[in-house]
Amino acid sequence: GFYLGAALTLLVMLLITLPLAVLLLLHVVLGLFFLATVIIRVVALLAKWRERHRQRPAPRLGQRPVYSVFVALYREAAVVPQLVATLNRLEWPAACLDIKLICEADDRETLDALAAARLGPQYEVVAVPSGRPRTKPKALTYALRAARGEYLVIYDAEDRIDPAQLEEAWRTFEGGPDHIACLQAPLIITNARESWISALFAVEYSGLFRALLPRLAAARMPMPLGGTSNHFRTRVLQEVGGWDPFNVTEDADLGLRLYRRGYRCGVITRPTYEEAPTEIRAWLGQRTRWFKGWLQTWLVLMRRPRQLVRDMGQVLVGGLILSSLAHPLLLAYIGVIAWRLAVLEATAVGPLDLTLFTLDALNIAGSYAVFIALGRIGMTREERRAVGPRWLLTPLYWLLISKAAWRAVRELRSNPFFW
């Protein structure tokens, strides 16, 4: 906190005394972070183009271990029948399942719905005592010590899970090295036709889970996990302390924490199907929470900046945040220079401004193009047809992402642990 406050004070003083030099430096730094996130996506795109058919892990003989399945529910009584039906279809012996449905103790509606459901002996309803913070990671961590499984997976209440996903995860763990502590299943959006928001959400998820994360896993880089369908070695999860109850994007925090402890994450192919928000208000609330959690994660990691740079660099978390915050600023700069070139004489724009204008324009256009290509290359023909031409609204989608990032900065101060 002291160093951050000192740096911000110094920045304000320099902006007052040397505004042009400081703005130029900030412009270059933010541009480089933006470019770094684009390069990561380009590398993932090239790897996806070169990808050959990935063979599934070879079958292994032996008795299946107990597998813990954690599902956190809060005010979700309506989805209980669908959830139970989905979990009952998992291709895993019921005697080897440890399914924990985790609810807040005062969520009587959901608890009553679970009591009325026909639950087998593999189910256990866990009531989390009331208290702050009231977050999903707090509920999961409360139940973690009671996990009986050798492996553990997290699902959301509304997920529709490939029945063979546990089988693939188990065989991948068994056939891989011990330092692979987590496997991420791909999340696929099924309602891309409903709105332009859900369509671009589907493009984003396709690029993230079917191209970018597999590339990071192959390169043994830290992975920001998705919020569901994470499969863990239970002993490792308990060893690192589970989830941070105060971090509202607990999956990203845990993926980076595992990396710093010497563990790595991998991917599997059996998907989990989800529905994306279809309205801007719901989407914005969700994305603001994600950015707030990434900011929390970055601040925790920055307690020891030198160690952070040595361990993993800052492109994944810091670059994602800074590039999202910088996006509208870069667009504004491009607009100002373009207006000068169009209305005033070309001599009104100096060589430095013209160079930065060109680099920023290429940066922005390249980021849009890679975002679209990365998402579409991972999609099936039916998924691309469902999205249709709405990928043309990518610039507007990115501006909404920037709005969520700036809202997260404000909420980090005013309401940091609001779920």
Side-chain angles (χ1 to χ4, degrees):
F2 171 79
Y3 290 121
L4 185 60
L8 289 175
T9 303
L10 179 62
L11 179 62
V12 171
M13 292 177 63
L14 290 175
L15 279 171
I16 295 172
T17 56
L18 300 168
L20 295 179
V22 174
L23 288 174
L24 175 60
L25 179 61
L26 286 174
H27 192 148
V28 172
V29 170
L30 291 175
L32 288 175
F33 270 106
F34 199 98
L35 179 62
T37 61
V38 174
I39 290 173
I40 289 176
R41 291 188 173 96
V42 169
V43 171
L45 179 63
L46 294 175
K48 189 67 177 178
W49 271 330
R50 295 193 301 265
E51 183 184 80
R52 298 179 179 178
H53 179 69
R54 186 163 74 94
Q55 295 182 349
R56 297 192 185 280
R60 296 174 62 91
L61 300 176
Q63 184 177 0
R64 287 173 174 80
V66 175
Y67 216 117
S68 291
V69 179
F70 278 21
V71 184
L73 304 96
Y74 184 59
R75 296 180 179 175
E76 293 180 288
V79 302
V80 166
Q82 173 193 301
L83 171 63
V84 174
T86 298
L87 295 176
N88 285 341
R89 286 194 293 269
L90 291 175
E91 295 175 1
W92 198 261
C96 296
L97 279 175
D98 168 37
I99 301 177
K100 287 185 168 39
L101 306 178
I102 308 165
C103 303
E104 295 290 334
D106 58 359
D107 185 5
R108 295 309 316 170
E109 186 179 0
T110 304
L111 288 170
D112 290 344
L114 291 173
R118 299 180 62 183
L119 302 179
Q122 69 271 35
Y123 287 88
E124 179 183 0
V125 177
V126 178
V128 181
S130 299
R132 298 292 180 182
R134 188 180 287 258
T135 61
K136 174 184 174 182
K138 180 264 189 93
L140 294 174
T141 301
Y142 176 80
L144 178 58
R145 291 297 174 185
R148 296 188 294 107
E150 182 178 345
Y151 301 105
L152 185 151
V153 61
I154 304 300
Y155 290 123
D156 286 339
E158 67 276 7
D159 286 347
R160 298 186 300 280
I161 308 151
D162 187 301
Q165 190 180 110
L166 268 60
E167 179 80 16
E168 184 189 3
W170 171 57
R171 294 181 183 276
T172 304
F173 275 128
E174 291 292 303
D178 290 340
H179 68 258
I180 299 296
C182 176
L183 296 172
Q184 173 71 64
L187 307 182
I188 296 178
I189 300 301
T190 58
N191 63 332
R193 295 182 185 275
E194 293 188 20
S195 73
W196 72 273
I197 284 285
S198 61
L200 283 166
F201 200 112
V203 172
E204 183 180 15
Y205 259 33
S206 173
L208 175 63
F209 288 101
R210 288 182 263 182
L212 182 57
L213 291 189
R215 182 63 247 162
L216 294 177
R220 295 169 55 84
M221 293 181 67
M223 280 174 50
L225 301 172
T228 178
S229 306
N230 315 133
H231 297 254
F232 299 96
R233 298 184 192 270
T234 307
R235 62 169 179 81
V236 174
L237 188 57
Q238 293 173 340
E239 174 192 324
V240 301
W243 298 267
D244 179 356
F246 291 91
N247 192 308
V248 295
T249 312
E250 77 290 341
D251 41 353
D253 162 75
L254 182 56
L256 298 180
R257 195 147 36 89
L258 286 169
Y259 187 90
R260 299 190 81 177
R261 295 288 293 268
Y263 295 105
R264 297 295 178 266
C265 299
V267 294
I268 55 178
T269 60
R270 296 284 185 177
T272 295
Y273 299 96
E274 287 194 331
E275 290 192 357
T278 57
E279 298 179 355
I280 291 178
R281 182 177 179 180
W283 179 93
L284 197 59
Q286 181 189 66
R287 192 56 57 100
T288 298
R289 176 176 63 80
W290 291 0
F291 270 111
K292 188 164 58 174
W294 291 332
L295 280 165
Q296 291 169 333
T297 301
W298 184 75
L299 287 171
V300 170
L301 293 173
M302 281 295 290
R303 286 172 177 168
R304 297 178 178 85
R306 292 181 182 177
Q307 182 182 348
L308 174 61
V309 173
R310 184 173 64 250
D311 288 348
M312 65 180 71
Q314 300 185 48
V315 171
L316 282 174
V317 180
L320 175 65
I321 297 167
L322 290 176
S323 63
S324 298
L325 294 173
H327 182 229
L329 305 178
L330 297 180
L331 284 178
Y333 180 80
I334 291 172
V336 169
I337 300 301
W339 178 82
R340 288 183 182 178
L341 290 172
V343 176
L344 305 177
E345 297 181 1
T347 54
V349 178
L352 179 59
D353 280 333
L354 191 59
T355 301
L356 291 175
F357 167 79
T358 304
L359 292 176
D360 287 347
L362 292 174
N363 227 355
I364 295 292
S367 65
Y368 293 161
V370 172
F371 173 85
I372 295 166
L374 197 62
R376 289 177 63 83
I377 197 174
M379 287 181 156
T380 63
R381 182 179 301 177
E382 290 75 18
E383 288 176 301
R384 289 195 291 270
R385 190 178 297 121
V387 171
R390 286 175 288 190
W391 54 266
L392 293 170
L393 295 173
T394 295
L396 180 57
Y397 189 74
W398 276 47
L399 282 175
L400 284 176
I401 291 176
S402 296
K403 181 178 180 180
W406 284 103
R407 281 185 61 184
V409 171
R410 185 188 69 211
E411 277 196 19
L412 189 65
R413 174 64 182 87
S414 62
N415 205 0
F417 310 124
F418 175 71
W419 184 260

